[in-house]
Amino acid sequence: MSTEPPLLLALDLTGTFAFGLNGALTAVRAARLDVVGVVSLGMITALGGGVIRDVLIGAIPPATFVDWRYFALAAGGGLIAFVFSRRLDRLDMPITVMDAVGLSTFAVIGASKALTAGLNIAPALLLGVVTAVGGGTIRDALVLQIPTVLRSDLYAIPALVAAGITVATVETGSYGLPSALGAVAACFIIRMLGVRYGLQAPRPPGKRSVSGPSDDASPGPDSGRG
């Protein structure tokens, strides 16, 4: 079971459910899949990033396989998306808000776990981002899309900010629940500002935005379990 503080754990579990829901909705909209395919892609979105992180830092078995709550929430989110996909279209913004909470929490937990495993600053930053966006990247590759994180509004950058704050506080010996929540809040605010104002990461001069077959397929689930 997770040893994270209760509030951080609650945010982690909320994000896992949101990613399972959002990832499955993307699967429904982007490809004609049956219930197994939709739920599987929802679970990959929710859990994939955390599994990649744990394998890379040698935390075997990955935390996802130890704590049943993550599997249950990811699968439940995917199943709800399959059954109620048409009705959930009306809830894009609430789902996006939950997605941003998960993105923020996963980046913080991913970076802190990497540092706890003895990695240096740069690998910890990378694994913080990978934890947050890895599952969605795998999902998009499986449905033959350019990963949303490479062509959508601000997503990886807020995760990097959260991971950076986490690494800085750990390195200075001030990491704790308040600083972790501060990093979560910073990522969440940047992400939601990107959604609200359509902010984009810088692109090469004179280049148009890269579009995928379903740019409107999702509010932006590109994550993995923390």
Side-chain angles (χ1 to χ4, degrees), residues 25-42:
L25 283 175
T26 299
V28 169
R29 295 161 178 168
R32 293 185 176 181
L33 303 177
D34 61 16
V35 62
V36 175
V38 170
V39 174
S40 295
L41 286 182

Side-chain angles (χ1 to χ4, degrees), residues 1-225:
M1 303 292 280
S2 176
T3 59
E4 297 293 337
L7 181 55
L8 210 56
L9 174 61
L11 293 174
D12 196 24
L13 293 172
T14 299
T16 299
F17 174 78
F19 289 142
L21 183 68
N22 226 347
L25 283 175
T26 299
V28 169
R29 295 161 178 168
R32 293 185 176 181
L33 303 177
D34 61 16
V35 62
V36 175
V38 170
V39 174
S40 295
L41 286 182
M43 294 181 69
I44 287 170
T45 305
L47 308 175
V51 171
I52 294 172
R53 177 205 62 224
D54 287 349
V55 169
L56 290 177
I57 65 177
I60 305 298
T64 294
F65 300 140
V66 176
D67 192 335
W68 63 270
R69 292 173 294 184
Y70 292 102
F71 253 96
L73 287 169
L79 190 59
I80 289 172
F82 177 82
V83 175
F84 300 107
S85 59
R86 292 185 180 179
R87 297 181 183 179
L88 291 174
D89 284 342
R90 306 171 186 174
L91 300 177
D92 273 358
M93 184 51 67
I95 293 173
T96 299
V97 170
M98 288 195 299
D99 181 89
V101 169
L103 175 79
S104 309
T105 309
F106 295 171
V108 171
I109 293 175
S112 65
K113 285 188 175 181
L115 291 171
T116 300
L119 298 185
N120 293 325
I121 291 176
L125 290 172
L126 177 61
L127 286 184
V129 176
V130 167
T131 303
V133 307
T137 301
I138 297 172
R139 177 211 62 218
D140 288 345
L142 289 175
V143 296
L144 303 180
Q145 290 185 181
I146 297 173
T148 309
V149 70
L150 301 180
R151 57 181 169 82
S152 186
D153 48 8
L154 296 181
Y155 208 82
I157 290 176
L160 181 60
V161 169
I165 295 173
T166 302
V167 169
T169 55
V170 170
E171 292 295 311
T172 58
S174 58
Y175 181 74
L177 182 59
S179 60
L181 293 178
V184 168
C187 178
F188 179 83
I189 290 170
I190 296 171
R191 170 59 183 155
M192 294 311 298
L193 286 174
V195 172
R196 174 64 178 84
Y197 296 105
L199 302 179
Q200 301 280 337
R203 300 182 183 276
K207 294 291 185 181
R208 298 176 60 187
S209 297
V210 178
S211 297
S214 58
D215 280 349
D216 61 346
S218 167
D222 285 282
S223 353
R225 226 270 302 146

